Amino acid sequence: MGKNSIVISLARIASLTLAATVASSCSHATESSQQAGSSTSRSTVPTSVSYPPLRSEWDVSGALTGNAKDFAQFAAETRADQYEFLNADSYSADLMNRYNARVDAADKTSRDAWQDWHTGVPVTGGLLMRAVDSTPTENGQRITVCEFNTPGVFDIVDGKLKLDSNKRVFGSGTMTVSSTTQPSAADSHASQTPRLLVISLKFGEDQDAAKRCEQAMPDPFTQTTPSPTAVTSQPK
């Protein structure tokens, strides 16, 4: 799943984030260096620029209070955790398990998902996950989660940055959060006491959610080019 996936999973991290969307992937630029045969014949040219992984921040609409706010916060934070795992420069079992402990088996992520995410154009910058409303359901609360292109997703092409999309709403969807003992994707056993768990995650399937996200955009809406983490010289 790649970064264009950010756009479509914007279909189930969408289809588990996966498989279909959100995507063009978040692989990151790596530093390369070549060893010259002789130190006396070396000349260097700056060619390698590293940028941090795409970051996902989250917040909750100020209109939400009490239980609804707690469920909405859990949803937005879980979505951000999913992106943090997928966008990490290296595979992290800890990040994977942290996310899987918050969702049911249907929305489990995996090492394969992380690898698939890193097969497209590298990106950097950041997205904002914002929970904008919470509606009671039979199983808990259905949360609208918006993915805003701020501070902005940037493609890394030949060491240069280009804003990936002019869209301000990168994705939108709903996540149903329940207080339940049912097993999570990280543990096939039921928990001893109820805790919050995402039992449904649907992105790119709800036009009404997209409209709600358009109305809930940050104001002012800012986009900032990220700074490189390192600029190195490559021996010639």
Side-chain angles (χ1 to χ4, degrees):
M1 182 171 56
K3 184 190 38 106
N4 278 340
S5 296
I6 292 182
V7 179
I8 297 181
S9 185
L10 303 179
R12 199 190 140 121
I13 276 186
S15 238
L16 198 336
T17 269
L18 267 229
T21 100
V22 130
S24 221
S25 167
C26 292
S27 165
H28 298 282
T30 56
E31 297 181 6
S32 62
S33 63
Q34 303 171 352
Q35 296 298 324
S38 165
S39 60
T40 59
S41 63
R42 269 185 178 178
S43 62
T44 59
V45 290
T47 56
S48 181
V49 182
S50 291
Y51 289 93
L54 185 75
R55 296 290 300 171
S56 298
E57 304 297 333
W58 62 270
D59 67 14
V60 175
S61 170
L64 296 173
T65 60
N67 233 18
K69 181 178 180 179
D70 293 340
F71 280 65
Q73 176 176 314
F74 188 86
E77 189 172 17
T78 299
R79 186 65 166 173
D81 282 351
Q82 186 178 31
Y83 275 109
E84 183 174 356
F85 163 66
L86 292 170
N87 290 314
D89 281 333
S90 59
Y91 166 73
S92 170
D94 288 341
L95 292 178
M96 180 183 70
N97 291 333
R98 186 176 73 183
Y99 166 77
N100 283 338
R102 301 170 70 97
V103 302
D104 65 7
D107 292 301
K108 182 176 183 177
T109 195
S110 65
R111 183 167 189 157
D112 286 344
W114 175 82
Q115 291 175 329
D116 290 345
W117 192 262
H118 288 260
T119 58
V121 177
V123 297
T124 186
L127 290 170
L128 173 64
M129 310 293 156
R130 172 170 290 178
V132 300
D133 60 32
S134 183
T135 304
T137 68
E138 181 180 355
N139 297 321
Q141 296 277 335
R142 185 175 61 251
I143 317 298
T144 300
V145 177
C146 307
E147 299 173 340
F148 294 112
N149 192 12
T150 180
V153 179
F154 293 83
D155 290 332
I156 306 172
V157 181
D158 295 330
K160 298 181 180 180
L161 300 186
K162 178 182 179 181
L163 194 63
D164 174 78
S165 172
N166 291 324
K167 292 182 178 180
R168 293 190 174 190
V169 180
F170 231 55
S172 58
T174 58
M175 300 172 68
T176 301
V177 178
S178 178
S179 178
T180 178
T181 61
Q182 78 177 67
S184 71
D187 187 348
S188 60
H189 300 91
S191 65
Q192 294 184 348
T193 58
R195 83 297 193 210
L196 296 184
L197 189 74
V198 174
I199 60 173
S200 175
L201 190 159
K202 297 179 180 180
F203 277 78
E205 304 174 17
D206 187 338
Q207 291 302 313
D208 288 337
K211 293 177 182 178
R212 292 192 291 273
C213 289
E214 289 286 349
Q215 298 170 355
M217 282 192 294
D219 185 19
F221 194 95
T222 60
Q223 290 180 320
T224 305
T225 304
S227 300
T229 55
V231 179
T232 63
S233 295
Q234 179 172 333
K236 183 176 180 180

